[in-house]
Amino acid sequence: MRTQVGIIGAGPAGLMLAHLLQRAGIESVVLEKHTRDYIERRVRAGVLEQSTVDLLNDAGLGERMRREGMVHHGIQLRFDGAGHRIDFSELTGGRGITVYGQQEVVKDLVRARLDAGGAIHFSVDEVGLQGLDTQRPRISYMLHGEAHELECDFVAGCDGFHGVSRQAIPADKLTTFERTYPFAWLGILAQAAPAHDELIYAYGDRGFALFSMRSPQVTRLYLQVAPEERLDDWSDDRVWQELHARLETHDGWRVNEGSVLEKSVTGMRSSVVEPMQHGRLFLAGDAAHIVPPTGAKGMNLAMNDVLVLARGLIEHFESGSDAALQRYSQTCLRRVWRAEHFSWWMTSMLHRFPADDSFQQRLQRSQLEYVVRSRAASASLAENYVGLPASWGTEP
Ligand code: FAD
Ligand code: PHB
């Protein structure tokens, strides 16, 4: 079998790349190790930057997002029992974010792909990459117990942090930059109306908590926990008690409780590999870099990578020029490192680090006060949170 672009992974990156290529008349095959049902149910990100919203709209995928997504014009930072609003609209000249679950984006992308007659092979196994240094790289895989090989012009590694693509690059050709954090997030999805209309990031002695949402009927909540925390030790009652304690305010505001639809623990890590390319393999999204979720950047970066990659591949197939493809890694990394810094900064400001002494905690408190009291500091948070314009990072 042959295709122009072999895409490994049907997450937001792989599916969006396939869609952008298909619109330009470029053929691709998407290989995904899980089932369609699994990828459409996996609860993860929720915040879309303006440039991601624009990309979905421009690519003809925004219809349901415009109907069901919730546009937010600010967030709240909460500490010492009081909330402080960061007004994105006012601080960024009218920009905002859209709350729309990643699994909804994935559902819209899968539907668009199948409607256009594009190939996605679910439940593939034993994916391997060969001939990356040649003009004809190959992907081998098992499907329904049979061995297959796909010959491609290019391979896009969109298979997330634990995928095989990055590992197919010889170790001496990559540099990895990494931080791990001494905590994780326990997240729940609850059948409960959001008790507040914007996201709340809460700092306190008991640790960080985040209040978010998915719809007018569904609340999404997170608690900072120890990295080795066992879900079995967190009954629904214990989760609610802890959420109330960490999110409470002097005026008696409380989250609404409801039945818990999903519960999971996610580790926190920052990681970047450079370059994001080896021969004819291009890494995109979590396969090349991950951020802690505090800045809500992961899915947005994945979308930006594949927009840059699609442009490079279109240029190659239309004009034979590889100029944009050669700049791929450099172009993406400028935005990636901005998001790495912002996510690390938000994480460091808002979490309780087990090793921190009282000096460090006073610094955190001072940083929070500065961010909510200084217009310059709030504007910096707002500018990074809503996301830098799409052109940022693509200009010399
Ligand atoms: P993935 O979504 O990981 O997709 C990779 C795909 O490849 C998967 O479907 C996987 O099954 C498949 N795959 C893996 N290995 C193989 C293989 N060997 N062969 C074939 N297929 C394979 N980001 C935000 O922007 N905003 C947020 O608010 C936000 N919140 C988050 C909250 C949580 C709790 C978590 C965990 C993440 C959050 N993120 C957020 C990050 C975001 O979910 C990721 O950055 C995003 O999923 C990256 O997309 P991707 O397509 O690169 O990778
Ligand atoms: C979410 O709604 O899942 C979410 C929101 C903001 C974050 C992380 C996750 O920073």
Side-chain angles (χ1 to χ4, degrees):
M1 272 199 304
R2 246 205 76 69
T3 191
Q4 286 172 293
V5 183
I7 301 177
I8 307 175
L15 291 167
M16 180 55 104
L17 178 63
H19 182 78
L20 294 172
L21 294 177
Q22 185 264 325
R23 279 167 67 92
I26 297 167
E27 197 188 284
S28 66
V29 172
V30 180
L31 302 173
E32 165 58 47
K33 86 169 173 191
H34 289 294
T35 63
R36 177 178 179 184
D37 188 54
Y38 179 90
I39 64 162
E40 291 189 347
R41 279 171 195 260
R42 189 168 45 191
V43 181
R44 293 173 84 181
V47 173
L48 308 184
E49 294 178 353
Q50 190 61 52
S51 56
T52 303
V53 169
D54 294 343
L55 175 59
L56 289 164
N57 281 326
D58 294 348
L61 294 161
E63 197 265 330
R64 199 161 66 93
M65 171 191 67
R66 286 194 298 278
R67 228 177 334 114
E68 297 176 16
M70 295 175 279
V71 178
H72 287 195
H73 298 286
I75 55 165
Q76 192 184 103
L77 296 184
R78 189 172 281 189
F79 52 99
D80 294 340
H84 307 265
R85 183 164 189 263
I86 307 286
D87 186 334
F88 292 161
S89 293
E90 202 242 329
L91 293 161
T92 66
R95 291 165 73 81
I97 52 159
T98 297
V99 177
Y100 187 64
Q102 177 167 326
Q103 73 271 39
E104 306 308 322
V105 175
V106 166
K107 279 183 209 158
D108 295 345
L109 283 163
V110 169
R111 170 116 318 280
R113 175 83 182 150
L114 298 178
D115 285 351
I120 312 181
H121 297 306
F122 292 103
S123 307
V124 303
D125 207 4
E126 295 178 35
V127 172
L129 286 74
Q130 293 89 32
L132 296 176
D133 294 322
T134 70
Q135 305 279 308
R136 289 276 177 276
R138 296 178 314 282
I139 308 175
S140 54
Y141 59 98
M142 297 291 290
L143 181 60
H144 310 312
E146 269 183 43
H148 294 262
E149 195 172 73
L150 184 63
E151 192 186 272
C152 320
D153 293 313
F154 294 95
V155 177
C158 303
D159 47 352
F161 187 66
H162 300 288
V164 293
S165 307
R166 190 179 62 253
Q167 287 157 27
I169 302 179
D172 62 342
K173 302 282 186 218
L174 282 185
T175 309
T176 305
F177 302 86
E178 219 161 16
R179 274 278 177 286
T180 52
Y181 300 88
F183 38 75
W185 278 14
L186 186 156
I188 63 161
L189 198 64
Q191 190 69 48
H196 185 70
D197 53 7
E198 291 179 339
L199 274 58
I200 302 169
Y201 289 80
Y203 168 86
D205 292 341
R206 305 178 72 98
F208 169 74
L210 171 61
F211 166 89
S212 180
M213 63 198 73
R214 285 292 179 273
S215 74
Q217 297 81 33
V218 176
T219 304
R220 176 79 168 144
L221 298 145
Y222 297 97
L223 289 170
Q224 171 186 352
V225 295
E228 63 283 357
E229 202 73 52
R230 284 160 22 100
L231 264 184
D232 288 349
D233 293 336
W234 285 86
S235 65
D236 294 356
D237 272 354
R238 182 175 173 207
V239 172
W240 288 117
Q241 292 307 322
E242 197 57 35
L243 284 164
H244 289 309
R246 295 192 195 182
L247 287 162
E248 75 181 4
T249 51
H250 294 315
D251 63 11
W253 180 92
R254 277 166 77 83
V255 290
N256 293 329
E257 291 191 21
S259 57
V260 174
L261 308 170
E262 196 258 1
K263 199 190 287 178
S264 57
V265 174
T266 310
M268 306 268 273
R269 190 194 290 262
S270 301
S271 175
V272 182
V273 294
E274 294 187 11
M276 290 168 56
Q277 179 212 353
H278 173 70
R280 290 215 158 195
L281 167 66
F282 290 82
L283 301 177
D286 279 17
H289 43 73
I290 51 169
V291 286
T294 329
K297 290 287 165 231
M299 177 172 43
N300 295 293
L301 283 181
M303 291 294 196
N304 184 69
D305 288 351
V306 294
L307 177 61
V308 176
L309 182 54
R311 286 184 181 144
L313 290 169
I314 292 168
E315 187 178 287
H316 170 91
F317 287 113
E318 285 182 356
S319 73
S321 162
D322 284 342
L325 277 181
Q326 277 161 6
R327 285 196 310 272
Y328 169 72
S329 182
Q330 188 194 335
T331 304
C332 292
L333 284 168
R334 192 186 272 176
R335 181 179 281 265
V336 166
W337 276 110
R338 179 86 301 279
E340 288 289 341
H341 176 268
F342 178 66
S343 306
W344 164 85
W345 176 77
M346 286 282 279
T347 303
S348 309
M349 176 170 72
L350 287 162
H351 289 76
R352 188 48 67 100
F353 286 69
D356 274 3
D357 58 9
S358 51
F359 179 85
Q360 201 63 35
Q361 286 165 20
R362 288 285 192 282
L363 292 182
Q364 271 182 323
R365 184 63 54 97
S366 168
Q367 177 71 57
L368 279 163
E369 279 180 9
Y370 179 55
V371 166
V372 300
R373 283 166 187 259
S374 151
R375 186 181 167 86
S378 340
S380 171
L381 188 155
E383 176 178 59
N384 280 280
Y385 199 101
V386 302
L388 291 145
S391 59
W392 202 88
T394 56
E395 290 150 359

